[in-house]
Amino acid sequence: MKKQGWDEQRLMEIAMTNPIYRNQIKITPMEHLLFGPPDGAAMDDLSNIREYEAPMVIVSNAARSYGASAILDQEAMGRISDAFQEDFYIIPSSVHECIAVPKSEQPLEELQAMVQEVNRMAVAPEAWLSDDVYQFDSSARKITMAGIERDRDERQAQRQDGPKR
């Protein structure tokens, strides 16, 4: 990186526009992994995701190895939000994959508790990515830590209402 004179931003741009990386991103409905896709559908078909009992997708790469970085691809995240027709949470399953779930499907507090529990019980320390849940804002095409907006809104409301007595 230093030899080429690249900073972190430039290195990220190079990585994200690399066709090998972009062509390897896989977005697969959870139901397709568990039960196989419906007749005639491809494994990555998101067209009926809202009709599934559990509309969630796995985001990774073709090798399912160190594929969690696929969440950095705005085009892939946009494809998921278009299929969900809403913003969604990103659950860091491990360094190998993440799970995307529509915000309307589960309360944030339950997801955060689940991530922490699964990390402690089922994820090897070297594959542990994060205890935090993230969210994708479909209009801004941006990932942020989930709950930050809500916390900010609550602080603003408290300032407007004045101190509680």
Side-chain angles (χ1 to χ4, degrees):
M1 203 169 98
K2 289 179 183 178
K3 187 176 180 180
Q4 295 296 324
W6 298 334
D7 61 9
E8 291 174 5
Q9 182 65 33
R10 177 68 181 134
L11 187 59
M12 179 65 90
E13 289 170 11
I14 291 167
M16 298 310 294
T17 58
N18 182 333
I20 293 171
Y21 168 79
R22 298 205 72 181
N23 294 337
Q24 292 294 311
I25 294 173
K26 298 295 179 197
I27 302 168
T28 310
M30 181 76 79
E31 287 199 15
H32 292 193
L33 285 177
L34 297 174
F35 309 114
D39 290 339
M43 276 300 275
D44 63 349
D45 182 2
L46 302 179
S47 62
N48 296 318
I49 192 78
R50 293 296 302 161
E51 297 171 16
Y52 293 162
E53 187 174 325
M56 54 180 65
V57 297
I58 304 294
V59 181
S60 189
N61 59 17
R64 295 195 102 73
S65 181
Y66 296 99
S69 62
I71 66 169
L72 299 175
D73 187 281
Q74 289 181 345
E75 186 177 311
M77 297 298 96
R79 185 172 162 228
I80 295 169
S81 69
D82 291 346
F84 287 157
Q85 299 174 356
E86 65 179 280
D87 296 348
F88 59 90
Y89 291 123
I90 300 169
I91 303 165
S93 180
S94 71
V95 295
H96 303 296
E97 64 188 21
C98 291
I99 300 169
V101 59
K103 288 180 84 170
S104 62
E105 287 296 314
Q106 288 227 263
L108 175 58
E109 293 76 17
E110 286 181 20
L111 292 175
Q112 287 175 322
M114 180 187 68
V115 167
Q116 292 172 5
E117 183 178 339
V118 169
N119 277 343
R120 304 299 179 286
M121 298 178 73
V123 178
E126 63 274 7
W128 195 342
L129 184 59
S130 175
D131 267 344
D132 298 308
V133 175
Y134 297 86
Q135 62 189 9
F136 182 78
D137 180 320
S138 57
S139 59
R141 297 286 200 217
K142 182 176 164 184
I143 295 174
T144 58
M145 191 177 300
I148 290 177
E149 240 177 59
R150 183 191 64 215
D151 294 343
R152 185 190 69 224
D153 293 344
E154 287 174 3
R155 285 192 304 275
Q156 286 176 337
Q158 287 175 351
R159 280 194 292 261
Q160 290 172 352
D161 295 341
K164 302 279 184 213
R165 293 183 187 196

